[in-house]
Amino acid sequence: MSTTNHIARVRIVRDTYCDSLRLLVATSVMSEREDVSWAGAVMATPSGLENLAAEGFGEEVIGTAGSNDLVLAVRTSGEAAAQTALDSGTEAVYAQAPAESEGDAVAPPRTLRQAVEQMPDATVAIVSVPGEYAALEAHHALSEGLHVLLFSDNVSIEEEAELKKRGNELGLLVMGPGAGTSVISGTGLGFANSVRRGPVGVVAAAGTGAQEVSALLDRWGVGVSHVIGVGGRDLSEQIGGRMAKAAVRMLDKDPATKAILLVSKPPSQTVAREVLGQCTSTPTVATFLGLGDMETPSGVRLARTLEDGALAAARLVGVTPTATSKGVRRQVEDAIAALGEERRTVRGYYSGGTLCYEAQLIIGELLGDVYSNEPLLHDHTLPAPPGTHVLLDLGAEEYTVGRPHPMIDPTTRLEIMRREARDPEVAVVLLDVVLGYGSHEDPAGQLASVMEEISADGGPRVVAYVLGADTDPQGYARQRAALEQVGCLVTETAARAAYAAAAIASRRPELAEVH
């Protein structure tokens, strides 16, 4: 919506802390209103104020808000619309607070110490606070003898190294920072899917990578013992794989874990070998996306894609899944026949960073250079050269400043696709739909009408992948059907979606069967 004649209004709620998930919910609720062109709910930390200033909400508007204050900000068509939007954001913030039971209600704890006193049997603390406070809160949790899922971003690598060194000394896991996904003894933490228990243990330095392999293992009837997300930097030289090593050792000793699957974007080769060396008795598969060949310990095999890794792990526990591209080649041929000759490029709009990276690798290998994750220019156009394949991770920080993550709210992704996807050079629009706890309640329903609009009148074909388990709250079968009903080509795995997109753009239908 145009911002012409729109007004900017803020509401400051003093001494009110909200974690990142509540901020995202409040932002989403305000943004959904038709008369709101921009909305954001942030804590008035230095980084939060900087983000608001970039949207035109400077000190003259914000005033004296401090780090412990909540700021709700909107740009709307008028005063009444602004107040209504701010009211809805305020209600969303407080709706997330724990409801008191009748009778002797227990006040929500205000400190970690109080939480431990109320839940003395707890073993894991989830830390989701602004990055400048996250390390301190994680240290407090370790001092209480708790494993930590550090959901927060913007934790320095020095703080991460210190936390993980201390965790090693205490025999506790520090999952993160930026750990979006873990499943511990059947309980999902962060963005997780409803997956069955089973014999494969997953250690992942990649959030949607962990979701992809655990969802595939669930759909193939295998299941997972635990999914331990260690944070995207864990296998770097600076961190040295401290938590990946600890997680592998734990799974190696776990009688319920019969195979281990490691997942990561390109790690340090030295660190990767050290991590694999911790697998002393349990057969192991490693998917190190983009790393290429490397020497591995005996009994460890490498897999090239997330699907390959999940298949190999399933076979290690005696299950031979049927991952198929049946019928895809025919759909690819039909898509090619419907395209004008000038349409030769792929545009990918991803909510999952690991899925986007895997697709970049596949399409880059098959079609050549891929332009990836530079933010849009100020005039809202992509700065990629003509004829370039573009795959964007829209969950990256440059796209989520003041906006909910696209897994939670697809609004930003829809805006970008409407603006960019009908470029006359585009042959294929490629995207993921990620289900599970924490994700939008009906992501395919939100996307379907836009997908139909994009493909109309000889527009680009849409290739989609639905990452989910059969028992996810959104309903895996329903989500697939919603996309198929509007003509999307929906594949069985994320890798196969990338192969299908490459096949359509290059007019080589055989590529759809390469995998």
Side-chain angles (χ1 to χ4, degrees), residues 179-382:
T181 300
S182 287
V183 181
I184 308 299
S185 298
T187 299
L189 307 175
F191 292 112
N193 298 93
S194 175
V195 292
R196 72 188 76 200
R197 299 294 301 277
V200 177
V202 178
V203 178
T208 47
Q211 288 185 266
E212 167 74 331
V213 297
S214 59
L216 290 178
L217 289 167
D218 174 84
R219 296 210 305 265
W220 295 336
V222 179
V224 296
S225 56
H226 307 278
V227 178
I228 303 175
V230 296
R233 299 184 302 208
D234 193 78
L235 275 71
S236 67
E237 292 283 355
Q238 297 97 316
I239 306 300
R242 287 184 179 276
M243 281 304 121
K245 292 174 187 176
V248 167
R249 288 194 296 269
M250 288 183 178
L251 294 177
D252 199 37
K253 297 175 182 177
D254 175 26
T257 299
K258 306 303 181 185
I260 297 173
L261 173 57
L262 278 87
V263 176
S264 175
K265 295 177 185 178
S268 156
Q269 284 210 25
T270 300
V271 174
R273 280 192 291 268
E274 292 174 356
V275 171
L276 294 175
Q278 307 299 308
C279 307
T280 59
S281 59
T282 308
T284 300
V285 179
T287 299
F288 295 140
L289 293 172
L291 182 61
D293 293 332
M294 62 171 281
E295 185 178 345
T296 61
S298 176
V300 176
R301 64 153 294 184
L302 294 178
R304 198 170 64 88
T305 66
L306 297 168
E307 177 188 334
D308 287 340
L311 283 168
R315 289 172 183 139
L316 286 175
V317 297
V319 178
T320 303
T322 304
T324 178
S325 290
K326 184 179 179 181
V328 170
R329 176 162 181 160
R330 177 59 183 272
Q331 293 180 73
V332 165
E333 291 170 344
D334 290 344
I336 292 171
L339 287 174
E341 183 60 30
E342 73 283 1
R343 294 189 178 277
R344 291 282 180 169
T345 64
V346 177
R347 286 275 172 86
Y349 303 102
Y350 278 83
S351 61
T354 311
L355 304 188
C356 184
Y357 183 71
E358 181 182 59
Q360 289 166 2
L361 292 174
I362 291 170
I363 290 175
E365 177 184 325
L366 296 175
L367 304 184
D369 291 340
V370 173
Y371 185 90
S372 61
N373 246 63
E374 289 294 329
L376 299 173
L377 296 176
H378 293 299
D379 64 355
H380 303 297
T381 60
L382 287 167

Side-chain angles (χ1 to χ4, degrees), residues 7-356:
I7 64 170
R9 293 291 183 267
V10 300
R11 178 175 295 171
I12 299 171
V13 187
R14 303 288 182 183
D15 297 319
T16 299
Y17 172 74
C18 288
D19 64 25
S20 57
L21 290 179
R22 280 198 286 168
L23 294 175
L24 289 173
V25 169
T27 299
S28 176
V29 167
M30 293 188 292
S31 298
E32 285 175 353
R33 301 190 61 84
E34 291 185 0
D35 45 13
V36 173
S37 60
W38 186 90
V42 303
M43 297 303 298
T45 61
S47 61
L49 293 175
E50 181 180 345
N51 293 338
L52 287 172
E55 290 292 336
F57 295 85
E59 185 177 347
E60 71 281 0
V61 179
I62 301 298
T64 60
S67 295
N68 292 321
D69 300 330
L70 167 67
V71 179
L72 302 173
V74 294
R75 214 166 25 239
T76 71
S77 57
E79 195 66 49
Q83 295 309 311
T84 300
L86 292 171
D87 288 345
S88 68
T90 304
E91 291 172 6
V93 166
Y94 289 106
Q96 301 299 307
E100 294 185 356
S101 59
E102 295 182 2
D104 296 330
V106 178
R110 296 183 61 85
T111 67
L112 187 67
R113 176 71 259 171
Q114 291 174 353
V116 171
E117 289 172 354
Q118 288 187 16
M119 301 179 65
D121 296 330
T123 58
V124 179
I126 301 176
V127 176
S128 178
V129 300
E132 53 261 53
Y133 311 116
L136 178 61
E137 289 303 317
H139 276 296
H140 288 163
L142 292 174
S143 296
E144 298 291 345
L146 299 171
H147 301 289
V148 176
L149 181 96
L150 187 48
F151 195 81
S152 303
D153 289 322
N154 300 309
V155 176
S156 74
I157 199 162
E158 293 79 14
E159 290 173 320
E160 179 177 350
E162 181 182 1
L163 280 167
K164 290 183 172 179
K165 181 176 183 293
R166 187 167 179 229
N168 283 157
E169 292 168 352
L170 295 171
L172 296 169
L173 291 173
V174 177
M175 296 171 277
T181 300
S182 287
V183 181
I184 308 299
S185 298
T187 299
L189 307 175
F191 292 112
N193 298 93
S194 175
V195 292
R196 72 188 76 200
R197 299 294 301 277
V200 177
V202 178
V203 178
T208 47
Q211 288 185 266
E212 167 74 331
V213 297
S214 59
L216 290 178
L217 289 167
D218 174 84
R219 296 210 305 265
W220 295 336
V222 179
V224 296
S225 56
H226 307 278
V227 178
I228 303 175
V230 296
R233 299 184 302 208
D234 193 78
L235 275 71
S236 67
E237 292 283 355
Q238 297 97 316
I239 306 300
R242 287 184 179 276
M243 281 304 121
K245 292 174 187 176
V248 167
R249 288 194 296 269
M250 288 183 178
L251 294 177
D252 199 37
K253 297 175 182 177
D254 175 26
T257 299
K258 306 303 181 185
I260 297 173
L261 173 57
L262 278 87
V263 176
S264 175
K265 295 177 185 178
S268 156
Q269 284 210 25
T270 300
V271 174
R273 280 192 291 268
E274 292 174 356
V275 171
L276 294 175
Q278 307 299 308
C279 307
T280 59
S281 59
T282 308
T284 300
V285 179
T287 299
F288 295 140
L289 293 172
L291 182 61
D293 293 332
M294 62 171 281
E295 185 178 345
T296 61
S298 176
V300 176
R301 64 153 294 184
L302 294 178
R304 198 170 64 88
T305 66
L306 297 168
E307 177 188 334
D308 287 340
L311 283 168
R315 289 172 183 139
L316 286 175
V317 297
V319 178
T320 303
T322 304
T324 178
S325 290
K326 184 179 179 181
V328 170
R329 176 162 181 160
R330 177 59 183 272
Q331 293 180 73
V332 165
E333 291 170 344
D334 290 344
I336 292 171
L339 287 174
E341 183 60 30
E342 73 283 1
R343 294 189 178 277
R344 291 282 180 169
T345 64
V346 177
R347 286 275 172 86
Y349 303 102
Y350 278 83
S351 61
T354 311
L355 304 188
C356 184

